[in-house]
Each structure stands twice: as C-alpha cells, then as structure tokens.
Amino acid sequence: MTINIIDPHLHLFARSLGDYHWLKSENPPFWPDKSLIQHDFSIDDLTKCLVLTSNINLSGFVHIEAGFDNAKPWRELEYLESLTFNNLAIEGLPHPNSRTVASINLLASPLDFTKILDKLQQHSSMIGARHILDEQAYSILSNQNVQQNFASLNQVTDFIFELQLPLAGEDSNKVMPLLIQTITNNDQLRFIINHAGFPPKSASTNTDTDEWHLWQKHISELAMYPNVFIKCSGWEMTDRQYQMSWFSAVTSFCIREFSIERVMLASNFPLCLLGRGLGKKLANEVGNKSYADYWQDILGSNLIKQCSENEKSALLYDNALKVYQL
C-alpha cells in the first residue's frame, strides 16, 4: 500500500545560483561531515527515489529558506517558483504541491522590513518566514524593531513564523517570557517550532536529566497557546547517531502536550543525511536512497506502529496539509 506524505521541512540547494554562505567549507558551521551536503539537491530526485525504492509518495512539501540570498530573500522564491518538475522517467507520477517559507530579517528597521515583506508577498507560494533565533533568541526578541516587525507579520492573513531555537539552552529560562509575550501579542500569527525545539540527546538513554526536564517544561508552556504548532525533525542536528527510541520519546511527548492535531513529522532534508549513517549512500546517487531510508525509519518506529491510521495520517500528511494550506 502506498503511503502519502507531506514533508513540511526540507531544503533544496542550487549552489551556482545562490550564495549559501553557511554551506561553504570556509564558513561556520565547521562540521567534519559538511561535505556530505555540499551538493545540489532537487525535488525531482526525491520524488523519483521514493517511488523507485519505497512505498512512499511525496504528495507535497514545504521549502524552508536555506540561505540562498539573505540580503535579497525574494531571489530564493523566484528560483523555487521557476522550477519545473519533470518526472517523465516514471509514468503518471505527478509533481508534489509545495509552499515556501522565506528568509526575513527581523532586525531590519520597520520601514525596510515592510518593504521586503511586501516584495515577498508578491510570490504566491509563500506561506511564512523564518529568522533563525538559536542562541541569539534573547537579544533578538528584546529588540524593539523586532517586536514592531512581528506586529507586521501578525497583520498578514494566515501567515506562519518558523520558530527555531533551543528550548533547553543556557538562556532558555530568560528567553521564554519574551517568547510567550511575543506569541500572545501576535495571536493571529501561527508559530511553528522547528526541530522539536532541539531536545537534549541524553533523552535517548536517560529522560531523568535537568536538561530533559527543562525542555519538557518549555514544550508544555508553549503548547498552551493554540497558535503554536511543532515539527518533529532535525534529529541529526543534536545527535548524528541518534536512536529511533529517542525519536519516539520526543515525538510522543510532543503529541501528549500539543495533541495529535498540532504535531507534524518532517525530514530537514538534506541535513537528515548527516544522521544515522544515511549520508554514506551518497557515493552512488546523491541523497536519493537516503531520503527514502529516513522515512522508512520513521514508518518503522515504535511510535508510528502504535498509531491508528488516522493518527498516522495526521502526523505524516493531514496536519501539514491544513497548516501550510497545501
């Protein structure tokens, strides 16, 4: 039986067209395995791979900004909207529906911010924006321009802000009041937590640590707000050798706190190739088999096996379809 999925968090790279400052060897992050993702990646490769090597059909995806050109973020949308999906090698295979999440600079002056936002909104594929907060979350969220710019995003109908920061980081306790105030002040804006808020990797073997409890506490607090959703992905960002037991523990907790309707499973492709040895298969055909393997790991997990068909569909398809309006 074919399983339809929507991947609500992936990245495509066209290195000759964009900047991708972070992807170059001379720039951070200085990962020893960075070469595994220093390739071009297209959606055609992924759709063909899934059909040829698995029972999974990629029905839709959400492209999250990948640093194509942060000074002129509309260029990435122009590139994505110019793509043609030619799956002629596989008879009858339709191309997946897609949405885009653009890069946007929250620290810009409100005047410049609204000009860029207006330019981005000319692209019909755009459903949201992202400014990675990470370890700078406190200084960013406490900036007056940033709060004015959030107010501008809040005025856009059915708009999404991708929320990327560690919820068990050193500054997370002082970040949370600012974050909750931002969410409360902008209740028309949907906030989607990226990568499950970077749960601590110690949870794979021991869930009785201060870091794990801190992550749980902050997940529970954010789950109280109906305009907050969560994507479970990016496991390799915390632990390259993560175990599926950790995936199940983290995702189960997110489902318990957010309910099944506000949790989505995603890949973070191509960065998922850095985890569980998936990148070793790059030698033959870049990324293709490994993307299928990632989803096969998910489908074979204890968490998914324990889900009803409706619950499985919600996590893999239905929720992303509704939230991102695919």
Side-chain angles (χ1 to χ4, degrees):
M1 183 180 73
T2 299
I3 298 171
N4 292 314
I5 66 168
I6 292 173
D7 189 342
H9 198 111
L10 59 74
H11 313 278
L12 305 178
F13 297 165
R15 292 171 302 148
S16 63
L17 301 177
D19 175 33
Y20 302 105
H21 182 269
W22 70 276
L23 198 54
K24 297 169 183 173
S25 298
E26 65 269 22
N27 299 325
F30 298 112
W31 298 329
D33 51 2
K34 196 172 182 177
S35 61
L36 292 175
I37 58 170
Q38 289 171 322
H39 301 273
D40 286 352
F41 294 99
S42 77
I43 201 66
D44 278 356
D45 293 335
L46 301 186
T47 55
K48 290 174 185 177
C49 150
L50 289 173
V51 168
L52 292 173
T53 64
S54 71
N55 61 336
I56 302 167
N57 175 49
L58 184 64
S59 300
F61 68 93
V62 181
H63 184 279
I64 308 297
E65 62 87 16
F68 185 99
D69 186 342
N70 289 342
K72 298 176 181 177
W74 55 86
R75 289 191 60 234
E76 186 170 39
L77 302 189
E78 290 170 356
Y79 151 66
L80 291 165
E81 292 179 358
S82 73
L83 295 177
T84 57
F85 300 96
N86 299 314
N87 292 306
L88 301 180
I90 302 173
E91 185 178 354
L93 178 63
H95 71 72
N97 294 322
S98 64
R99 284 288 199 174
T100 56
V101 169
S103 171
I104 201 161
N105 181 12
L106 286 172
L107 293 164
S109 71
L111 180 60
D112 288 342
F113 185 88
T114 54
K115 286 179 180 177
I116 291 174
L117 181 59
D118 288 344
K119 193 171 181 69
L120 291 171
Q121 285 184 271
Q122 294 172 21
H123 295 272
S124 59
S125 68
M126 188 182 72
I127 189 68
R130 180 170 79 161
H131 180 137
I132 295 176
L133 303 180
D134 280 356
E135 285 74 20
Q136 292 76 45
Y138 183 80
S139 62
I140 292 171
L141 292 175
S142 58
N143 184 287
Q144 186 175 356
N145 281 353
V146 170
Q147 291 304 323
Q148 285 185 250
N149 293 334
F150 267 119
S152 294
L153 295 180
N154 194 50
Q155 297 302 310
V156 182
T157 304
D158 294 330
F159 203 68
I160 286 167
F161 181 77
E162 298 281 335
L163 187 60
Q164 184 160 318
L165 77 168
L167 294 177
E170 285 184 17
D171 294 335
S172 57
N173 277 326
K174 71 175 187 176
V175 168
M176 281 299 291
L178 276 173
L179 180 56
I180 288 173
Q181 190 62 53
T182 302
I183 291 167
T184 305
N185 289 345
N186 301 284
D187 58 0
Q188 298 305 305
L189 184 61
R190 284 173 292 171
F191 292 83
I192 301 184
I193 301 168
N194 289 186
H195 308 323
F198 298 103
K201 66 179 180 181
S202 59
S204 59
T205 55
N206 179 15
T207 56
D208 190 25
T209 65
D210 290 343
E211 220 181 0
W212 174 250
H213 290 306
L214 184 62
W215 174 81
Q216 283 188 310
K217 174 178 178 287
H218 292 157
I219 286 289
S220 300
E221 289 173 0
L222 292 170
M224 295 172 62
Y225 299 89
N227 59 326
V228 180
F229 301 76
I230 192 164
K231 286 188 290 194
C232 293
S233 61
W235 318 102
E236 71 288 339
M237 303 298 285
T238 300
D239 184 0
R240 294 290 200 257
Q241 302 302 320
Y242 68 90
Q243 301 298 310
M244 292 309 294
S245 58
W246 179 50
F247 157 82
S248 292
V250 170
T251 306
S252 295
F253 185 79
C254 291
I255 292 170
R256 192 177 87 193
E257 298 303 301
F258 276 89
S259 80
I260 197 80
E261 291 82 10
R262 288 195 286 151
V263 179
M264 294 168 275
L265 298 180
S267 74
N268 197 32
F269 181 85
L271 283 83
C272 63
L273 302 179
L274 303 178
R276 289 175 61 78
L278 296 179
K280 293 177 182 176
K281 300 189 177 184
L282 282 168
N284 295 326
E285 196 173 353
V286 175
N288 287 1
K289 293 180 180 178
S290 298
Y291 185 65
D293 288 343
Y294 174 82
W295 285 109
Q296 293 289 14
D297 279 351
I298 298 297
L299 293 174
S301 68
N302 287 334
L303 173 91
I304 293 297
K305 287 179 179 178
Q306 292 168 9
C307 285
S308 68
E309 285 303 311
N310 286 343
E311 290 170 336
K312 184 163 69 172
S313 184
L315 294 171
L316 295 169
Y317 185 92
D318 297 337
N319 296 343
L321 181 74
K322 294 172 187 173
V323 172
Y324 287 98
Q325 300 182 34
L326 283 155

